[in-house]
């Protein structure tokens, strides 16, 4: 198993550009999520999905879109990049079967710099 | 709302020293509690967890006990190694819109020197 994979590892964007961060998992997990990590703030939930075709907003969804057409993939789209979106982005997945007790599995992260 | 507070770092220790990283939480109900670790250049991985009061989670020599009376989940290790240098995140599970999301503390960076 590759686990959770993310591409790219690093990206530089100019303000106003759009891009898609890719996330895939091969563990047949129903639950997937995107977090952003900023210094001194831990990780904050952007969007999440409880299964193919079902997505919802987390704490900091503004400026981001998601879709979930398959169980395996959960891309995150930046519509018009802003410097405030400079961050490290982590994708995570879990079974969703243990009522909050389950482990979340994280990808290696995408470091994004918006100029 | 639910929240997690953990001690600020960085924490700098010599090899074989005793480690404590404090974590306290605010939550309604009885959340599960977690410690995740992030090694340099990597994603987060689960270190240990506890799912009910008085449970002790343990892994790789690390331990933490779910203390409901003090709303705490402090991480401890008796003898740290250089390889333990990483950022440690305390987290709790919170159900929102049918999804079990994690609420993280700010993270504590640990540096262990030989």
């Amino acid at each position: 198993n590759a686990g959770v994979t993310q591409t790219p590892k690093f990206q530089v964007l100019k303000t106003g550009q759009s891009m898609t961060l890719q996330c895939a998992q091969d563990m047949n997990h129903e639950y997937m999520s995107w977090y952003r990590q900023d210094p001194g703030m831990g990780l904050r939930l952007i969007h999440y999905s409880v299964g193919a075709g079902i997505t919802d907003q987390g704490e900091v969804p503004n400026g981001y879109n998601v879709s979930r057409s398959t169980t395996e993939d959960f891309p995150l789209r930046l519509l018009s990049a802003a410097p405030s979106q400079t961050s490290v982005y982590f994708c995570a997945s879990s079974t969703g079967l243990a009522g909050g007790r389950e482990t979340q599995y994280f990808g290696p992260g995408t470091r994004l710099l918006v100029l | 709302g639910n929240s997690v507070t953990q001690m600020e770092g960085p924490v700098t220790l010599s090899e074989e020293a005793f480690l404590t990283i404090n974590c306290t939480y605010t939550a309604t109900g009885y959340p599960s509690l977690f410690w995740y670790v992030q090694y340099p250049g990597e994603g987060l991985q689960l270190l240990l967890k506890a799912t009910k009061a008085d449970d002790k989670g343990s892994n790789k020599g690390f331990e933490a006990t779910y203390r409901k009376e003090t709303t705490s989940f402090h991480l401890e290790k008796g003898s740290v190694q250089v390889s333990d240098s990483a950022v440690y995140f305390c987290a709790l599970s919170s159900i929102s819109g049918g999804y079990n999301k994690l609420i993280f503390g700010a993270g504590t960076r640990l540096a262990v020197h030989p």
Side-chain angles (χ1 to χ4, degrees):
Chain A
N1 282 354
V4 180
T5 58
Q6 292 182 238
T7 56
K9 289 186 178 180
F10 180 69
Q11 183 72 46
V12 179
L13 290 178
K14 293 181 180 179
T15 297
Q17 288 185 315
S18 62
M19 80 161 293
T20 299
L21 280 62
Q22 301 292 343
C23 173
Q25 52 92 9
D26 62 358
M27 296 174 284
N28 202 33
H29 285 169
E30 290 296 322
Y31 283 22
M32 295 186 75
S33 54
W34 278 101
Y35 293 86
R36 59 178 288 174
Q37 182 184 25
D38 300 297
M41 301 186 72
L43 279 74
R44 293 179 293 168
L45 183 65
I46 305 172
H47 285 286
Y48 63 90
S49 169
V50 299
I54 307 170
T55 64
D56 207 343
Q57 297 180 351
E59 299 173 68
V60 288
N62 292 343
Y64 307 96
N65 271 0
V66 292
S67 60
R68 183 105 178 264
S69 56
T70 67
T71 299
E72 295 77 20
D73 300 298
F74 191 44
L76 178 72
R77 297 182 188 85
L78 278 69
L79 308 172
S80 178
S84 60
Q85 294 178 303
T86 293
S87 187
V88 182
Y89 292 85
F90 288 101
C91 180
S93 74
S94 64
T95 62
L97 297 176
R101 298 183 297 276
E102 68 269 21
T103 300
Q104 289 206 18
Y105 295 85
F106 286 82
T110 294
R111 186 174 297 273
L112 177 67
L113 175 62
V114 183
L115 302 175
Chain B
N2 296 346
S3 65
V4 174
T5 302
Q6 58 182 108
M7 63 188 289
E8 291 187 19
V11 174
T12 303
L13 296 173
S14 298
E15 209 166 21
E16 299 183 2
F18 184 87
L19 168 71
T20 299
I21 300 178
N22 290 338
C23 171
T24 57
Y25 68 91
T26 301
T28 54
Y30 303 95
S32 294
L33 301 174
F34 305 81
W35 277 100
Y36 280 82
V37 58
Q38 183 180 28
Y39 297 104
E42 299 183 10
L44 280 72
Q45 56 185 272
L46 179 69
L47 180 60
L48 55 83
K49 66 180 178 183
T51 59
K52 61 183 186 294
D54 299 326
D55 263 5
K56 177 186 284 188
S58 61
N59 186 27
K60 299 182 181 180
F62 290 89
E63 293 183 339
T65 301
Y66 189 162
R67 302 285 189 199
K68 183 171 176 295
E69 63 276 12
T70 56
T71 62
S72 64
F73 193 54
H74 304 322
L75 182 68
E76 296 182 337
K77 186 175 186 183
S79 176
V80 294
Q81 305 300 314
V82 173
S83 57
D84 294 326
S85 298
V87 181
Y88 292 81
F89 292 93
C90 185
L92 65 81
S93 62
S94 175
I95 297 177
S96 173
Y99 182 75
N100 299 318
K101 68 176 184 181
L102 289 174
I103 295 176
F104 287 89
T108 302
R109 183 175 300 277
L110 170 66
V112 180
H113 298 290

